[in-house]
Amino acid sequence: MLQAAVAPSMAYAEQNLPSLGDSEREELSPLMERKLGEQVMRDIRRDRDYLDDPVVLEYLNNFGASLVAARPEARGEAGYDFFFFAVRDPTLNAFALPGGFIGVHSALVLAAQNESELASVLAHEIGHVAQRHIARMLGRQRQDSLIPLAAVVLAALASRSSPDATSALLLGGQGMAVQRQLNFSRDAEREADRVGLQILDDAGFDTSGMIAFFGRMQNATRSYSDMAPAYLRSHPLTTERMADIEARIRDQRYKQHVDSLDFHLIRARLRVLQNPTAQGMRDAAAVFENQLQQKGRTQIAAAKYGLAFIALRQGATDKAQTLLQESSAAAPGSSEKLQNPVLTGLSIDIKLAANRPVEALKEADAARAKFPLSRGIAHQYADALVATGRYDEAVRYLRDQAQLYRHEPELQERLAKAYAAQGKQALQHIALAEYYAISGSLPAAIDQLGIARRAPDATFYDQTVIDARERELQASWKEEMKDSQARR
């Protein structure tokens, strides 16, 4: 979404990403680009429309990682650790932030008819990051680089919900410069298309998915009064660009990609999450009921899963369990049923909600052995330990997990709950401090350490840990405030 005018680079087929000149590199180093992206992500994570759903996040990141793995050089010289996420929004859009953070609107995932179409959008955004278009945009400005970028980011995010807010941001201070920066140039778009198509081909996806999806979005403009879909406004789709994509596709061998069951289950889950109101649930249920009339087993399985998810959110756990069993029975192929963390995860959630913690723990324990890389299953296992009153085991497990996955705030939040169940107040608030620190809320983290210091059960060792951590967080907070003042 954040785009700029750049000169065309060498063909991506040469497997060498363009090297930026020193003058451009001065404006925004890879380290600063990542730092800025992390700062923006802290604001996004606090937004109510950020979909902090572990199942959706796990699918998007596994899916995105498979695209990056097919073309490792897409990480560039900075070696970006990509992070893919979803936001609740009814418009068709996706966007790349500085440093490898890629967001996609829930409506865009729902509009994608297959995984190749979804992959085409994510691969395009990976292309923007790989080519460091944001850094190159700033390299043309020569001065006050971070200030206009911050304004661009704010305008881009505000455009999701309020065009008036976007206009106000664009008129304030940066005006014409920011407006120009909101759209990538045609050259940058073509460059991202080239990279995206190569990624699609190497990852085994149908490259015609890009032309099919972009073409359908272009046709969708007829359904809008004076507004094109957001993705086409921020990623201009010209006739020349479409012709260029078609020409490149003609040179590539057709590859048929079979969609995973997860793709259809996640789309059903997102349809429910996109509008969690009572009316939204009714609308989603109507879509699922209509979907049940189709003959495809995958479509039926996804519809049953969606209805089960709705029933769970409405507290009807028995109904949810029945619908989930019907979903599993309808799923094509026994291997997909047995090796599907999405279905298993919902089953565990239903048992926890139905106050059947022993059954939930047994299933979660088996699932973590079957899906050792699933972060959602790992979190559910911890929840089941706490639900069964096995607090000591929960604490040991969560502390081990927190050492392995230091950037997951959810682990610290669960650890705080386990400590609270044990009545360990000081440790509870120390864990909460880490939760807020990882989430980027440093003042709240420092406050939690103050509460921990005053806890009646705080030991001498606890006090030492608190003092050391407080000094670290206060230093980080001062640095953040200094950076903030410098950009004003």
Side-chain angles (χ1 to χ4, degrees):
M1 184 183 241
L2 306 179
Q3 310 182 12
V6 297
S9 72
M10 65 184 69
Y12 193 78
E14 296 177 15
Q15 300 188 14
N16 290 312
L17 301 184
S19 177
L20 302 181
D22 289 341
S23 61
E24 292 178 341
R25 200 184 301 271
E26 291 176 1
E27 299 296 338
L28 196 65
S29 68
L31 180 61
M32 182 58 71
E33 190 175 353
R34 180 70 180 191
K35 183 177 180 181
L36 184 57
E38 289 172 347
Q39 290 175 348
V40 175
M41 280 304 300
R42 285 200 289 268
D43 290 334
I44 290 178
R45 286 189 174 101
R46 287 194 287 265
D47 191 296
R48 65 179 182 178
D49 288 330
Y50 173 71
L51 282 171
D52 190 17
D53 182 81
V55 181
V56 172
L57 284 172
E58 188 163 313
Y59 171 78
L60 287 177
N61 279 281
N62 287 342
F63 189 70
S66 70
L67 295 172
V68 176
R71 203 73 174 177
E73 56 268 36
R75 295 185 185 277
E77 62 187 60
Y80 289 126
D81 186 12
F82 282 83
F83 179 76
F84 301 84
F85 63 95
V87 290
R88 183 184 293 108
D89 198 290
T91 62
L92 304 184
N93 209 355
F95 53 93
L97 296 175
F101 299 94
I102 293 178
V104 59
H105 288 191
S106 53
L108 187 139
V109 180
L110 294 176
Q113 294 182 358
N114 52 60
E115 280 189 309
S116 291
E117 292 188 355
L118 176 59
S120 71
V121 174
L122 295 186
H124 179 92
E125 297 303 328
I126 291 171
H128 282 311
V129 175
Q131 301 300 79
R132 299 199 67 215
H133 286 150
I134 295 173
R136 293 160 68 181
M137 171 185 72
L138 294 175
R140 300 172 69 90
Q141 296 179 357
R142 302 291 179 184
Q143 59 182 359
D144 296 330
S145 60
L146 294 183
I147 297 175
L149 178 57
V152 171
V153 171
L154 289 173
L157 295 177
S159 69
R160 293 196 297 106
S161 56
S162 174
D164 293 337
T166 306
S167 301
L169 283 166
L170 295 180
L171 291 173
Q174 310 305 326
M176 296 291 290
V178 175
Q179 179 63 68
R180 288 194 299 269
Q181 293 161 12
L182 277 176
N183 296 315
F184 274 42
S185 70
R186 291 181 180 180
D187 287 338
E189 285 301 312
R190 283 182 169 180
E191 193 172 59
D193 287 340
R194 288 196 295 271
V195 175
L197 282 170
Q198 189 64 62
I199 291 173
L200 283 177
D201 188 46
D202 290 348
F205 288 94
D206 175 14
T207 53
S208 66
M210 180 177 285
I211 202 73
F213 198 33
F214 287 178
R216 197 161 63 253
M217 280 194 286
Q218 193 174 47
N219 292 334
T221 58
R222 301 168 186 169
S223 302
Y224 291 72
S225 55
D226 298 320
M227 301 292 284
Y231 195 77
L232 299 190
R233 296 199 303 274
S234 57
H235 300 69
L237 191 60
T238 62
T239 302
E240 293 81 5
R241 184 179 159 206
M242 291 284 284
D244 185 53
I245 296 174
E246 288 178 331
R248 292 178 181 278
I249 288 175
R250 281 198 297 269
D251 296 334
Q252 296 177 343
R253 192 189 329 182
Y254 171 74
K255 293 181 180 178
Q256 183 176 6
H257 176 81
V258 179
D259 294 337
S260 69
L261 175 62
D262 284 359
F263 170 70
H264 297 280
L265 298 178
I266 291 300
R267 289 177 74 243
R269 190 178 184 93
L270 272 175
R271 189 173 297 280
V272 178
L273 293 173
Q274 182 173 245
N275 185 355
T277 65
Q279 183 58 50
M281 296 285 188
R282 287 192 289 271
D283 292 342
V287 171
F288 296 141
E289 291 293 348
N290 182 63
Q291 193 171 318
L292 289 176
Q293 306 308 311
Q294 301 181 24
K295 295 182 178 179
R297 295 186 62 182
T298 299
Q299 295 298 322
I300 294 174
K304 291 286 187 179
Y305 175 87
L307 291 171
F309 189 42
I310 290 175
L312 173 61
R313 291 176 70 88
Q314 293 174 336
T317 55
D318 288 343
K319 180 180 179 181
Q321 185 66 52
T322 299
L323 286 165
L324 181 61
Q325 290 172 346
E326 293 174 358
S327 173
S328 180
S334 58
S335 61
E336 281 202 276
K337 299 175 193 176
L338 295 174
Q339 300 295 329
N340 191 281
V342 179
L343 292 174
T344 302
L346 185 58
S347 178
I348 296 170
D349 279 339
I350 291 172
K351 290 178 174 63
L352 286 171
N355 196 26
R356 290 152 53 195
V358 175
E359 294 177 44
L361 178 59
K362 182 179 180 181
E363 186 166 9
D365 193 23
R368 74 187 180 106
K370 190 181 298 183
F371 313 114
L373 298 181
S374 172
R375 303 307 306 141
I377 295 294
H379 297 167
Q380 288 179 311
Y381 176 68
D383 291 340
L385 285 173
V386 172
T388 53
R390 297 165 68 167
Y391 307 129
D392 292 345
E393 289 182 58
V395 166
R396 287 196 298 271
Y397 177 72
L398 285 166
R399 291 181 66 168
D400 288 343
Q401 288 285 302
Q403 287 295 315
L404 293 171
Y405 303 93
R406 295 177 180 273
H407 299 294
E408 288 188 11
E410 301 87 355
L411 293 173
Q412 295 293 343
E413 185 179 31
R414 285 172 166 82
L415 185 56
K417 291 179 180 178
Y419 280 136
Q422 290 179 319
K424 297 180 178 179
Q425 297 179 38
L427 293 177
Q428 173 193 354
H429 292 287
I430 290 174
L432 282 174
E434 292 305 316
Y435 164 75
Y436 285 117
I438 298 171
S439 301
S441 301
L442 295 184
I446 294 170
D447 286 345
Q448 285 297 319
L449 289 177
I451 297 173
R453 179 181 288 107
R454 296 188 296 272
D457 60 346
T459 65
F460 176 77
Y461 176 77
D462 293 336
Q463 296 286 1
T464 302
V465 171
I466 292 168
D467 290 342
R469 189 62 174 132
E470 188 176 54
R471 285 193 296 270
E472 292 176 359
L473 294 179
Q474 285 178 340
S476 297
W477 175 238
K478 288 178 182 178
E479 184 180 349
E480 274 196 19
M481 293 300 293
K482 183 179 178 180
D483 290 345
S484 178
Q485 290 292 331
R487 289 197 294 270
R488 287 182 182 177

